[in-house]
Amino acid sequence: MSEIHGGCRCGAVRYTLALDALPRTYACHCRDCQTWSGSAFSQQSFLSESSLRVTGPLAVYELTTPSGSLSIQRMCAVCHARVYNSNSSRPGVLVVRAGTLDRSDELDVVAHIWVKRKQPWLELPTHVPAWRESAPVAELLQALAAG
Ligand SMILES: [Zn+2]
Ligand SMILES: [Zn+2]
């Protein structure tokens, strides 16, 4: 098995994913992701917790979501770049911020969610599955697996 590498903006946090290929990613256009990323959408992928190895100082930010689950965000303690998060409603699953991957320029975005909040100037390709709001996790995983 080969490895995929990534890290934060300043380089203090580095990580390795035990994966043979780059993960497929999805974009979330919700208001929270726009605010949090400071951009038009967030881009991320699901991973199993066991595939990630991290080195460097992580800061943790926890918040309770409207549905009552606990979202645990990990960011570089030096430059505060958000690297990955988990949610108590999805044990063993991590969400990695796609832009922190070293090879982020090679990533495919294979699904879009919360497109009702999409910025109006952004045109999505018609062949990529999209949901007006959040996608059922099973459907999103299927889109990520099918590519
Ligand atoms: Zn950093
Ligand atoms: Zn979002």
Side-chain angles (χ1 to χ4, degrees), residues 88-137:
S88 62
S89 68
R90 295 188 301 261
V93 175
L94 301 179
V95 179
V96 173
R97 325 304 327 168
T100 64
L101 287 160
D102 290 351
R103 291 162 61 198
S104 59
D105 56 324
E106 299 173 42
L107 293 169
D108 280 331
V109 175
V110 298
H112 292 269
I113 62 173
W114 281 98
V115 296
K116 77 173 190 185
R117 293 291 325 207
K118 177 180 77 59
Q119 299 292 355
W121 50 263
L122 183 62
E123 294 249 9
L124 301 182
T126 53
H127 64 279
V128 176
W131 286 263
R132 270 186 62 73
E133 296 185 356
S134 64
V137 172

Side-chain angles (χ1 to χ4, degrees), residues 4-110:
I4 305 290
H5 302 279
C8 68
R9 174 67 179 83
C10 78
V13 170
R14 293 291 299 165
Y15 66 82
T16 299
L17 305 178
L19 297 175
D20 283 326
L22 282 168
R24 294 192 177 92
T25 67
Y26 68 95
C28 181
H29 301 261
C30 83
R31 178 68 182 265
D32 287 341
C33 283
Q34 290 172 349
T35 304
W36 217 328
S37 66
S39 186
F41 56 86
S42 65
Q43 184 189 352
Q44 55 252 331
S45 191
F46 289 124
L47 299 160
S48 77
E49 200 164 21
S50 59
S51 67
L52 177 73
R53 266 202 344 269
V54 186
T55 60
L58 285 176
V60 176
Y61 171 68
E62 296 184 350
L63 82 162
T64 302
T65 68
S67 64
S69 64
L70 187 65
S71 171
I72 306 166
Q73 309 283 329
R74 278 85 163 191
M75 58 216 87
C76 170
V78 179
C79 72
H80 291 191
R82 203 155 56 108
V83 181
Y84 69 100
N85 59 278
S86 58
N87 190 296
S88 62
S89 68
R90 295 188 301 261
V93 175
L94 301 179
V95 179
V96 173
R97 325 304 327 168
T100 64
L101 287 160
D102 290 351
R103 291 162 61 198
S104 59
D105 56 324
E106 299 173 42
L107 293 169
D108 280 331
V109 175
V110 298

